[in-house]
Amino acid sequence: MDKILEVKDLKVTFDTYGGSVQAVRGINFDLHKGETLAIVGESGSGKSVTTKALMGLIPKPAGKIPSGEIMFEGKDIAKMKDKDMQKIRGRDISMIFQDPMTSLNPTMKVKTQIMEGLIKHQKMSSSKAKERAIELLELVGIPDPKTRIEQYPHQFSGGMRQRVVIAIALACNPKILLADEPTTALDVTIQAQILELMKDIQKKTEASIIFITHDLGVVANVADRVAVMYAGKIVEIGTVDDIFYNPKHPYTWGLLGSMPTVDSKEDELFAIPGTPPDLMNPPKGDAFAARNPFAMKIDTEEEPPMFKVSDTHYAATWLLHEDAPEVDPPESVKRRMKDITANGSDQKGDES
């Protein structure tokens, strides 16, 4: 597949009264046409900051991109002026934010908010833009779009508002869609509908999607590849099968082990001990070392490189070094992997 986006050694910092926060600390990944890449990790790992950097939305002057490249169609958008970025934002790269109520202007009708991008980027007349806006509401599954388009955001339910936000993001047929935890504020039933909608839209539009989430259950159903972030770095990246069935980083083990499943018979959920490090003063060595029960002396001294597991799978852990002791994932992780495998087999059987 052709690459549509390449991120190289991206760093993002924020100046505060207490010092500089190193929110993203040199990440590398690419995105292929028509692919869904999920970026997962707990709060504060740098997921949302990464997407804001891709959109050119890092707040200035406090926020900076001191180094790195974001290559989109041969141009480094990390170094673009805001005026030039405005031509790309919304047209070529679009974003779905996690809270639809704060994403929509409560004082403007839905039609105005959808038409805005069409008129600005597509140079459509008001009448053509309105026709397209109605088509978009229909595409995202809102019934009676001709009537609903004249309404205000407060007249929609939470799930319907998120569909409106998706319609706005899709208005200009973007090549890349950034979805920042788009189902967080929704109940489980509506979450499933929104995820199904995004998969359906991707088939129709062939857009590439970067899906930000802390919910590994969501990842299994929507992503082609997964990047696991911790303390501003990508610590493991691979296909969905690589991450779920053959995880290599202890942090990924922790995330999988803390995932509840319907079939689980355990009384208590597994939790990763400790808290993420202070990114104003990142620790020496592996940032996960203090929370890693399998940490070795080298973990506190040197930062691990990305070790190659396979052509599609890489992980930054010293456990993959040829001289490291052989360590298996904890039993809680193995049980989760078995549950996921069993559920995946059931779903494949249902689909066939």
Side-chain angles (χ1 to χ4, degrees):
M1 288 191 291
D2 295 333
K3 289 180 186 177
I4 192 169
L5 185 77
E6 287 184 85
V7 176
K8 303 174 183 177
D9 195 33
L10 179 66
K11 295 179 182 176
V12 182
T13 62
F14 292 95
D15 292 333
T16 70
Y17 290 115
S20 180
V21 177
Q22 299 175 45
V24 176
R25 303 188 299 135
I27 62 170
N28 298 274
F29 68 89
D30 48 43
L31 181 69
H32 299 96
K33 288 183 179 178
E35 176 188 42
T36 298
L37 171 69
I39 301 179
V40 302
E42 60 197 313
S43 297
S45 58
K47 308 182 303 293
S48 293
V49 173
T50 299
T51 56
K52 285 182 172 64
L54 301 182
M55 283 287 284
L57 293 176
I58 298 297
K60 297 173 182 177
K64 297 183 180 71
I65 299 179
S67 66
E69 297 178 350
I70 304 171
M71 301 302 296
F72 173 69
E73 295 188 332
K75 298 174 184 173
D76 184 3
I77 59 179
K79 295 178 177 64
M80 272 189 185
K81 293 180 180 177
D82 194 54
K83 186 179 178 182
D84 296 323
M85 193 62 203
Q86 284 176 10
K87 297 172 185 175
I88 292 173
R89 192 187 301 130
R91 185 190 69 184
D92 295 319
I93 305 176
S94 218
M95 191 161 185
I96 303 168
F97 294 93
Q98 61 179 286
D99 186 354
M101 201 57 196
T102 56
S103 303
L104 297 169
N105 188 328
T107 67
M108 292 168 61
K109 289 183 178 180
V110 162
K111 71 173 181 184
T112 309
Q113 299 185 60
I114 300 175
M115 289 165 59
E116 189 175 31
L118 294 166
I119 292 168
K120 179 176 176 60
H121 292 300
Q122 305 287 331
K123 310 300 181 189
M124 285 187 183
S125 64
S126 292
S127 59
K128 282 282 184 189
K130 185 177 178 181
E131 282 178 28
R132 176 61 179 152
I134 291 169
E135 287 173 8
L136 285 163
L137 285 189
E138 194 168 7
L139 176 68
V140 297
I142 292 182
D144 193 14
K146 289 183 181 177
T147 302
R148 301 306 301 268
I149 204 166
E150 299 292 342
Q151 295 178 337
Y152 291 88
H154 73 270
Q155 294 174 279
F156 291 74
S157 67
M160 288 296 180
R161 282 197 291 267
Q162 192 61 292
R163 289 171 187 264
V164 172
V165 171
I166 293 171
I168 293 170
L170 293 171
C172 297
N173 298 316
K175 294 168 184 173
I176 298 174
L177 195 58
L178 307 176
D180 187 2
E181 305 216 31
T183 61
T184 296
L186 307 174
D187 63 60
V188 176
T189 306
I190 304 302
Q191 276 187 27
Q193 292 176 8
I194 295 296
L195 293 173
E196 198 57 45
L197 169 66
M198 290 186 67
K199 283 160 68 177
D200 186 50
I201 284 170
Q202 186 178 38
K203 286 177 187 173
K204 291 175 180 174
T205 64
E206 297 184 342
S208 302
I209 298 176
I210 294 179
F211 198 99
I212 303 297
T213 185
H214 60 270
D215 187 344
L216 280 169
V218 167
V219 168
N221 293 321
V222 302
D224 299 304
R225 284 192 303 139
V226 182
V228 180
M229 278 194 82
Y230 182 76
K233 281 185 167 289
I234 291 176
V235 296
E236 187 162 7
I237 189 166
T239 65
V240 168
D241 285 353
D242 291 334
I243 301 301
F244 278 89
Y245 303 146
N246 189 31
K248 293 298 182 184
H249 198 285
Y251 180 61
T252 311
W253 294 349
L255 291 179
L256 287 169
S258 59
M259 232 179 96
T261 65
V262 175
D263 302 326
S264 177
K265 296 179 177 62
E266 295 167 35
D267 294 329
E268 293 183 9
L269 281 176
F270 170 83
I272 303 172
T275 56
D278 177 9
L279 293 184
M280 209 174 286
N281 297 292
K284 185 181 177 183
D286 185 348
F288 189 60
R291 305 173 73 187
N292 181 6
F294 309 102
M296 300 174 287
K297 185 180 178 183
I298 193 171
D299 284 300
T300 61
E301 298 172 346
E302 290 185 45
E303 191 175 300
M306 270 287 188
F307 288 96
K308 181 177 178 179
V309 181
S310 71
D311 288 342
T312 59
H313 190 186
Y314 295 82
T317 170
W318 286 114
L319 290 176
L320 291 174
H321 191 277
E322 59 183 9
D323 295 331
E326 205 166 306
V327 176
D328 286 332
E331 284 303 315
S332 59
V333 177
K334 289 180 179 178
R335 283 194 291 272
R336 291 295 181 275
M337 288 162 66
K338 283 181 183 176
D339 289 342
I340 294 161
T341 305
N343 291 336
S345 299
D346 290 343
Q347 286 175 4
K348 285 174 186 175
D350 293 340
E351 288 167 5
S352 58

